């Protein structure tokens, strides 16, 4: 506790800054998406001017009540990892589907020895259907942009993301999210998951 207090002391003032006050419950604890993930994806798309955003399937972080002020320390609590750099990449529709299929296979492979992790990559600006009971290559279908246009396998799309295992040079995710929250735009936009599950009861 003494060491944490010493290391934290120089940052307390900056971290106490009130950035925004959400009008809804914010949390991150679902397999496919949650309000915090949707907020991060919206921030990525808006601040990096991308059609699609991908965010790692983390499940840790704070739960914030509607009307509870968000501070910079809260933003850090949702994004603080050792590889937080953001990036923008161009990917074909086929590559996007392959990424989703690969992560999905880590979760739902019928052989438990091939199952790795428990959460799907989060996607913003992208709607798709997922059937966890299908084999790899056929779990993900019906991909479309949030404007309703179907994803074309050969067309290239601008994709923003963060937490890449490959080194990146973009701003850390906490700065991107804080900038977006300070703008106040969060509350004019509808947040929501674009995933439809199939073949799974409930």
């Amino acid at each position: 506790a003494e060491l944490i207090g010493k290391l934290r002391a120089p940052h307390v003032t900056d971290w106490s800054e009130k950035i925004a006050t959400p009008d809804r419950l914010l949390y991150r604890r679902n397999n496919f998406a949650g309000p915090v993930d949707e907020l991060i994806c919206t921030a990525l798309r808006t601040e990096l001017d991308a059609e699609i955003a991908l965010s790692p399937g983390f499940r840790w972080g704070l739960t914030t009540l509607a009307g509870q002020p968000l501070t910079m320390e809260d933003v850090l609590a949702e994004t603080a990892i050792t590889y937080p750099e953001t990036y923008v990449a161009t990917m074909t529709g086929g590559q996007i589907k392959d990424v989703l299929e690969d992560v999905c296979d880590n979760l739902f492979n019928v052989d438990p020895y091939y199952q790795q992790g428990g959460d799907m990559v989060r996607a913003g600006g992208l709607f798709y259907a997922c059937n966890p009971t299908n084999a790899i290559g056929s779990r993900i279908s019906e991909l479309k942009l949030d404007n309703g246009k179907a994803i074309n396998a050969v067309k290239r799309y601008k994709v923003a993301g963060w937490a890449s295992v490959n080194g990146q040079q973009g701003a850390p995710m906490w700065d991107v999210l804080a900038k977006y929250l300070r703008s106040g735009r969060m509350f004019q936009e509808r947040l929501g998951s674009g995933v439809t599950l199939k073949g799974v009861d409930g």
Side-chain angles (χ1 to χ4, degrees):
E2 183 180 348
L3 176 60
I4 291 170
K6 180 180 177 181
L7 295 174
R8 185 174 178 275
H11 307 285
V12 169
T13 300
D14 290 339
W15 290 353
S16 299
E17 174 199 359
K18 175 185 165 184
I19 294 177
T21 302
D23 64 353
R24 69 205 74 189
L25 181 70
L26 297 179
Y27 61 88
R28 179 202 272 152
R29 56 177 176 266
N30 293 346
N31 291 100
F32 282 84
V36 169
D37 300 302
E38 294 152 16
L39 183 58
I40 287 172
C41 285
T42 302
L44 283 167
R45 292 178 63 208
T46 303
E47 298 302 327
L48 302 182
D49 190 28
E51 297 170 275
I52 296 168
L54 298 176
S55 184
F58 298 145
R59 209 189 294 193
W60 43 261
L62 300 174
T63 295
T64 306
L65 300 176
Q68 179 180 338
L70 288 174
T71 66
M72 188 62 198
E73 190 162 16
D74 296 330
V75 170
L76 289 166
E78 301 289 3
T79 57
I81 61 172
T82 57
Y83 49 108
E85 292 80 14
T86 54
Y87 64 86
V88 175
T90 302
M91 300 174 67
T92 66
Q95 289 172 323
I96 293 167
K97 181 180 187 297
D98 287 346
V99 167
L100 297 175
E101 288 279 3
D102 186 55
V103 176
C104 212
D105 194 56
N106 285 341
L107 309 182
F108 302 115
N109 194 297
V110 293
D111 186 339
Y113 287 100
Y114 286 98
Q115 294 175 5
Q116 308 167 52
D119 293 306
M120 187 66 176
V121 61
R122 283 59 162 113
L126 180 68
F127 289 74
Y128 66 91
C130 174
N131 189 326
T133 63
N134 286 351
I136 188 170
S138 60
R139 291 191 180 99
I140 305 296
S141 62
E142 302 173 32
L143 286 88
K144 58 185 178 181
L145 296 173
D146 61 358
N147 62 11
K149 291 185 179 180
I151 295 289
N152 185 316
V154 297
K155 185 177 177 181
R156 304 184 75 82
Y157 299 90
K158 189 175 180 182
V159 180
W162 70 295
S164 172
V165 293
N166 301 314
Q168 303 293 336
Q169 302 298 317
M173 187 63 233
W174 51 76
D175 284 347
V176 174
L177 181 55
K179 182 181 178 185
Y180 178 73
L181 287 171
R182 287 187 184 104
S183 74
R185 284 171 294 185
M186 164 188 172
F187 310 113
Q188 283 88 50
E189 295 166 14
R190 178 182 175 274
L191 300 178
S193 170
V195 183
T196 301
L197 286 177
K198 295 188 172 185
V200 181
D201 291 337

